[in-house]
Amino acid sequence: MTNPGQDQTREFPPDFEWGAATASYQIEGAVTEDGRGPSIWDTYSHTPGRVLNGENGDIAADHYHRWQEDIALMSKLGLTAYRFSFAWPRIQPLGSGPFNPAGIDFYSRLVDGLLEVGIDPVATLYHWDLPQPLEDAGGWPNRDTAYRFEEYAAHVAGRLGDRVKVWTTLNEPWCSAYLGYGSGVHAPGRTDPAAAMTAVHHLNLAHGLGGRAVRDIVGDRSQLSVTLNLHAIRPADPSSADDLDAVRQIEALSNRAFLNPMLDGFYPQDLLEDTAKVTDWSFVRDGDLETIKVPIDVLGVNYYSTGTVRRHVGRGPVVRADGHGASAWSAWIGADDVEFIQQEGPYTAMGWNIAPEALTKLLVGLGDAYPDLPLIITENGAAFHDDVSEDGRVHDAGRVDYLHSHISAVHDAIKAGVDVRGYFVWSLMDNFEWGYGFDRRFGVIRIDYDTLERHWKDSAFWYRELIRTRTIPPVEIAPTLS
Ligand code: FCB
């Protein structure tokens, strides 16, 4: 894949979107400014023992104050699109009741600033920072949260409308439900399997209600979307019926629990059966599935790595190495005898294995299953422990390699006929990586957390070259670009 001759043929269509992604709590800081209320991530990160090194997003990358500088960076990179998220507690501090004009004004200025330099705003309504009062009232296991989301979504769409090119309802509801309420390694940190399954449904419902609210306001002038972290799961032993069945079970929990209701209007029967000991699914009410299946224009796919599973019939809980942080509680509800086994390397600093071919396979599979639904890669990227070299540069060769191989994998999918419309690198800049704090750096732009200065890494120069030429540059040239 690093053969320069071959690289010449790897050209992307002229209208392919090249973006970078971030999320509000991970970059903004300014958590008490201009009327912002607390979110579940403020509470969680300020609870001792929850986040590595006791870190929190109080300052993060200080994007709330430096957004103009950050737009200038995006413009220099040549981005055609920027994916960011709204902090619900900035816009509606209590999660219900009055809206805070200063909160929405911040995003209005950001959107206008992007449009001025020709960058398409791709906005996510919910990237995990639930207003704390809504969690106090029960959080996502409480059905009312979905209606609160609908009201919030309508307000934001009413203010920003078609200035936003793509409206994404939720980012990775898998994480919100199973990590937030199952294994507890994400906010709000609850460990209640039945609550996690209830949260799955209420997040789906929120997507349907919020998506319809946005559509009613923007019509066809903007696109409607949702972003899922679809799991690429492999069997430990492809010839073992038990292991293949473990793959089926994990894919039901991770992928079909969202794809089927959102795109097809039903919950998979095997998912209902696999979780029957935990819940009877009586939280699904008449009409919910019709609501959830709101027509979307494009599906956002986040991809980082793969999982490999094996079934241990008759043993106790064995989930290990699922890549999302240690917990005595499993994120995989009802799958106690499924073991996640260590992947083959190489790995990123998250311990996640690097497997670009699985991205092609995932996209081809989606293209086969939903041929009329365009796809965008809304997140893909890698954490590495970058250092500033003596020459003052950040030679993040591992990240350049990762981006090269994964963007090549996207190109392979397009060549195979899959309708992929864009690619967003995670992330524009180093940021607060949830339970891992600032220890894991995903940015193509480095943040010096002492001074909050931004520095281009080699990967940023390489990505700019890719966007400029619409052709995947060889990795070797990265350190020579400036
Ligand atoms: C995804 C999240 C994103 C970031 C990356 C590394 O699950 O959506 O916020 O943390 O992982």
Side-chain angles (χ1 to χ4, degrees), residues 10-12 18 462-473:
R10 291 186 174 271
E11 193 174 308
F12 282 82
W18 290 109
W462 182 88
Y463 196 49
R464 184 184 65 182
E465 184 70 2
L466 161 64
I467 298 170
R468 190 180 71 77
T469 59
R470 281 193 293 109
T471 307
I472 305 173

Side-chain angles (χ1 to χ4, degrees), residues 22-23 26 83 127-128 171-172 175 186 227 229 302 304 324 350 352 379 426 431-434 442:
T22 63
Q26 295 182 274
R83 174 175 182 254
H127 199 129
W128 308 352
N171 175 72
E172 300 191 356
C175 293
H186 276 189
T227 281
N229 53 326
N302 291 356
Y304 290 92
H324 296 281
M350 294 297 282
W352 297 348
E379 285 181 29
W426 184 272
N431 58 51
F432 177 78
E433 178 45 39
W434 310 114
F442 273 93

Side-chain angles (χ1 to χ4, degrees), residues 57-228:
D58 287 3
I59 297 171
D62 197 32
H63 169 75
Y64 190 75
H65 299 119
R66 294 167 194 254
W67 60 274
Q68 284 158 307
E69 179 185 351
D70 291 339
I71 290 179
L73 282 171
M74 296 177 214
S75 182
K76 277 200 190 130
L77 272 165
L79 300 187
T80 66
Y82 172 54
R83 174 175 182 254
F84 64 95
S85 77
F86 302 108
W88 185 349
R90 244 184 235 297
I91 293 171
Q92 192 181 28
L94 301 177
S96 61
F99 291 96
N100 172 30
I104 197 81
D105 285 351
F106 169 71
Y107 296 105
S108 186
R109 286 194 297 273
L110 177 73
V111 164
D112 285 345
L114 291 166
L115 292 173
E116 268 167 37
V117 293
I119 296 177
D120 292 330
V122 172
T124 304
L125 283 158
Y126 184 72
H127 199 129
W128 308 352
D129 38 4
L130 188 73
Q132 182 62 40
L134 294 188
E135 174 57 25
D136 297 341
W140 284 110
N142 177 8
R143 187 177 170 94
D144 188 56
T145 301
Y147 296 106
R148 300 284 63 77
F149 178 77
E150 176 185 28
E151 184 189 48
Y152 153 72
H155 178 79
V156 184
R159 287 296 311 274
L160 299 180
D162 61 6
R163 281 189 284 157
V164 168
K165 180 170 182 189
V166 180
W167 286 92
T168 304
T169 53
L170 308 174
N171 175 72
E172 300 191 356
W174 182 90
C175 293
S176 301
Y178 297 116
L179 302 184
Y181 297 92
S183 63
V185 301
H186 276 189
R190 283 163 61 180
T191 50
D192 175 347
M197 294 317 301
T198 316
V200 166
H201 179 62
H202 292 155
L203 283 151
N204 281 327
L205 184 62
H207 162 73
L209 292 167
R212 283 173 198 280
V214 171
R215 177 70 88 199
D216 282 350
I217 291 163
V218 301
D220 292 332
R221 289 172 289 127
S222 303
Q223 295 170 16
L224 185 64
S225 184
V226 62
T227 281
L228 302 177

